[in-house]
Amino acid sequence: MIPQSLAELTNAAEVVKAGGVVSYPTETFYALGADPAQPEAIERVLRTKGRKDSNKPLLLLIASLDDLPNWVSKFPSSFDKLVAHFWPGPLTLVLPAQAGLPDPLIGPGSGIAVRLTSHPTARALIRASGTALTGTSANRAGSPPCRDAGAVRATLGNDLGAVVDGGPTVGGKPSTVLDLVDDCPRILRHGAIEARALARVIRLV
């Protein structure tokens, strides 16, 4: 991993605070990050990706469990077990959303998708930005996600305010997405955390 300078992270955080879009590494691929509390910033992320599917909400990455109450209204019974076993890491949980959040963050069941990232660069950027970050993969809709900063710059660079180079990411499968909104856990997207691993901890629907 390439160490980031404080200046690089500070610059990217300032872009986020100003409503811009940045790219940064996660435990799977590079992501497009913006302040999820700023609707115009979210729209910039969607335009950068070229995404028009309103039924596919943007997920959020957080750096600490203390960040969750800003976005999540309640915690289902299986939440603590899942967090103890799989967070931080590539498991995205869809939880009941706080009222009043921007529509592109909210799924059909009034849930919001959140992940506690294990990537040190992502966590440092989130802390420096003072907010959660959108965590959708860095790519145009329909194209493969980017695994390194060079690929991000080549494909999306003109639309980004900053790219935080954390070296190549591992790639592989994206995060597993698990819906907990109605407290009946069901997998919405199979990914890096296998269903059998989840089933050892909770009962899946």
Side-chain angles (χ1 to χ4, degrees):
M1 181 181 300
I2 299 172
Q4 286 72 47
S5 68
L6 180 59
E8 184 179 3
L9 286 169
T10 300
N11 175 63
E14 291 303 317
V15 171
V16 171
K17 293 174 185 178
V21 180
V22 303
S23 185
Y24 62 98
T26 75
E27 51 269 86
T28 52
F29 298 96
Y30 271 69
L32 295 177
D35 181 354
Q38 298 188 47
E40 291 182 358
I42 293 175
E43 289 303 319
R44 289 188 182 98
V45 171
L46 295 175
R47 286 198 300 270
T48 299
K49 281 191 73 79
R51 178 187 288 183
K52 299 179 180 179
D53 183 0
S54 60
N55 292 321
K56 192 175 182 182
L58 294 173
L59 65 87
L60 302 186
L61 265 59
I62 59 172
S64 167
L65 291 175
D66 294 337
D67 299 336
L68 279 174
N70 295 323
W71 313 101
V72 175
S73 61
K74 64 180 180 179
F75 299 92
S77 59
S78 54
F79 174 79
D80 287 338
K81 286 184 179 179
L82 288 164
V83 166
H85 282 81
F86 301 111
W87 274 12
L91 176 65
T92 298
L93 298 178
V94 182
L95 300 163
Q98 287 284 9
L101 297 178
D103 288 343
L105 303 179
I106 307 303
S110 297
I112 188 165
V114 185
R115 183 165 90 244
L116 178 63
T117 180
S118 61
H119 198 289
T121 299
R123 295 176 81 153
L125 178 59
I126 292 166
R127 291 190 177 105
S129 301
T131 182
L133 289 177
T134 58
T136 186
S137 58
N139 59 285
R140 305 288 186 194
S143 298
C146 297
R147 288 191 53 229
D148 59 73
V152 173
R153 293 188 183 100
T155 56
L156 303 169
N158 291 337
D159 297 320
L160 301 176
V163 177
V164 180
D165 189 348
T169 59
V170 297
K173 296 179 180 179
S175 67
T176 299
V177 179
L178 185 67
D179 186 355
L180 298 181
V181 171
D182 58 5
D183 214 4
C184 297
R186 61 192 180 95
I187 296 174
L188 300 181
R189 181 178 75 189
H190 290 270
I193 304 295
E194 294 187 359
R196 60 186 178 183
L198 294 170
R200 286 195 289 265
V201 176
I202 60 168
R203 184 173 181 179
L204 296 171
V205 173

